[in-house]
């Protein structure tokens, strides 16, 4: 697997992020969807990586920096063809290592409590994330589960 910092200009990443947004809007009410669109992911405080095998996009994930100490995982997505092949674990480890190199001491994320998100919650728990309250600008929401990890 080849992990690349992505400029978000390729058709493959655009399609994968649209698939991600479509699933989020099918799973949660619009006001409870916190996934970022392509333009929002192009902000200076966000780094996005993609995972490739040869010319096939397997997944993506992002790290948003909130402060010198805190970051947030955004837009974690594995393509349907690459599910259960270790892509998300590999990418999560990469993002956590990058966060440590930046000097971040806490990483948080928002995901859903619905069954659709059970694999994501299990992955994060496996890597030491624990449920927490809302962070950054988030508010309590019945369609959100907040998790964090101290690095």
């Amino acid at each position: 697997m080849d992990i690349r910092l992505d400029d978000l200009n390729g058709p493959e990443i655009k399609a994968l992020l649209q698939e991600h947004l479509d699933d989020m809007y099918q799973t949660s009410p619009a006001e409870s969807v916190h996934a970022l669109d392509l333009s929002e992911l192009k902000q200076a405080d966000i780094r996005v990586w993609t995972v490739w095998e040869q010319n096939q996009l397997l997944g993506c994930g992002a790290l948003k920096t909130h402060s010198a100490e805190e970051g947030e995982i955004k837009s974690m997505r594995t393509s349907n063809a690459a599910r259960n092949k270790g892509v998300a674990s590999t990418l999560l480890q990469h993002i956590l290592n990058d966060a440590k190199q930046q000097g971040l001491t806490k990483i948080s994320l928002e995901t859903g409590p619905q069954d659709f998100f059970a694999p994501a919650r299990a992955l994060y728990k496996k890597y030491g994330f624990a449920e927490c309250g809302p962070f950054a600008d988030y508010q309590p929401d019945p369609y959100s589960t907040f998790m964090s990890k101290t690095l």
Side-chain angles (χ1 to χ4, degrees), residues 69-140:
E69 296 84 30
E70 293 189 42
E72 177 183 2
I73 293 177
K74 299 293 293 180
S75 301
M76 284 287 290
R77 180 70 178 202
T78 301
S79 71
N80 290 331
R83 297 262 161 91
N84 299 312
K85 294 183 179 179
V87 174
S89 290
T90 299
L91 185 55
L92 181 58
Q93 288 174 327
H94 182 85
I95 292 171
L96 293 173
N97 287 336
D98 186 81
K100 288 178 190 176
Q101 290 174 358
Q102 288 187 47
L104 301 180
T105 58
K106 184 177 181 182
I107 299 293
S108 301
L109 61 94
E110 181 275 339
T111 190
Q114 302 95 317
D115 289 345
F116 178 84
F117 298 100
R121 291 191 311 272
L123 171 73
Y124 297 129
K125 286 180 184 177
K126 176 181 171 182
Y127 284 90
F129 284 83
E131 288 191 24
C132 64
F135 61 94
D137 295 332
Y138 290 102
Q139 299 298 316

Side-chain angles (χ1 to χ4, degrees), residues 20-86:
H20 180 63
L21 286 171
D22 291 347
D23 277 350
M24 298 306 99
Y25 282 103
Q26 289 175 7
T27 308
S28 303
E31 65 274 8
S32 296
V33 173
H34 302 289
L36 302 177
D37 67 22
L38 193 61
S39 65
E40 292 169 314
L41 285 169
K42 289 185 176 184
Q43 301 303 311
D45 61 347
I46 300 176
R47 294 166 50 106
V48 180
W49 292 272
T50 48
V51 181
W52 298 81
E53 192 166 77
Q54 297 175 15
N55 291 327
Q56 183 180 8
L57 177 61
L58 304 179
C60 64
L63 177 62
K64 179 176 182 174
T65 304
H66 287 290
S67 70
E69 296 84 30
E70 293 189 42
E72 177 183 2
I73 293 177
K74 299 293 293 180
S75 301
M76 284 287 290
R77 180 70 178 202
T78 301
S79 71
N80 290 331
R83 297 262 161 91
N84 299 312
K85 294 183 179 179

